[in-house]
Amino acid sequence: MIFAANFKMHHTRAGTAEYLKELDTLLAQAEFPFKTLVFPPATALQPSTDWITVGAQNAYPAEQGAYTGEIGLSQLEEFGIDTILIGHSERRNILGESQEFLAEKFAFYQERGFQIVYCVGEPLEVRQQGDEAVAEHLWEQFVGIDLDYERLIVAYEPVWAIGTGRAAKVEEIASTHAELRRRIARPILYGGSVKPTNIREIAAIADVDGVLVGSASLEVRSFFAMMEAVAPPQV
Ligand code: 13P
């Protein structure tokens, strides 16, 4: 099981450092059989810890260059970062990243051997049209993406479930992950209002290999509580 925390535009550099230190200590004691990823804002990037892989929420597909406001490969390499989130709906919809650009970004970081958490998800009006429309929408978001890349992790995040407190229903997650599983052999995460109170039912769904958590990951205790909730009992 993979637990990934997307801080979005939350936490400072100091706050992130404190968070990672506290979480790392808890994870060292717990020895959970989970993979833990944390995506802080760009200003708060730091090397991964013993128990936590630190990844970038975004980077430009270039080593360096005249791309005002962006960071690229050389800025990530300074911290030994080799994990990146690509295709989040907030970047697609708010920052206007096109499928073509995402595919370019993906290819660039794939070429450099990065672990890539690639996000897809449908808006509410597509979900309301049913499973077939959802499937069609999601597969369009994979155009130009190498589904066989060995360091690929897919995250299914329905846009209408992000930050709304209303996660997708178990049946919706199950049917969508089953659809994605037809062509994706790599881990598939669910994201969208995952929290301590629904983590158990979500983690139990077939083909859910982990979760990508926003709001409920912002406090260490809340993120850790989700892991505790699904951890195998100590013997
Ligand atoms: P929330 O957990 O706040 O709904 O955010 C999900 C998300 O977008 C993670 O990438």
Side-chain angles (χ1 to χ4, degrees), residues 4-8 10 39 85 88-90 119 155 157-159 161-167 190-195 211-218:
N6 177 8
F7 286 179
K8 308 189 180 185
H10 295 282
F39 296 90
L85 206 59
H88 194 282
S89 63
E90 286 150 17
C119 308
E157 300 202 297
V159 179
I162 294 177
T164 59
R166 183 164 74 90
Y190 168 77
S193 298
V194 178
K195 46 197 164 188
V211 286
L212 178 54
V213 189
S215 328
S217 74
L218 294 178

Side-chain angles (χ1 to χ4, degrees), residues 81-137:
I81 304 279
D82 75 340
T83 294
I84 186 168
L85 206 59
I86 295 179
H88 194 282
S89 63
E90 286 150 17
R91 296 214 58 93
R92 291 177 189 265
N93 302 332
I94 303 172
L95 283 306
E97 294 192 354
S98 66
Q99 187 58 36
E100 203 183 352
F101 181 59
L102 294 173
E104 189 191 324
K105 215 181 249 199
F106 189 98
F108 181 88
Y109 285 100
Q110 173 178 6
E111 178 90 357
R112 272 95 193 151
F114 271 55
Q115 170 168 257
I116 300 175
V117 178
Y118 185 75
C119 308
V120 296
E122 82 287 355
L124 187 58
E125 60 271 22
V126 172
R127 170 55 67 182
Q128 284 166 340
Q129 289 163 33
D131 285 352
E132 219 168 288
V134 170
E136 197 182 318
H137 184 90

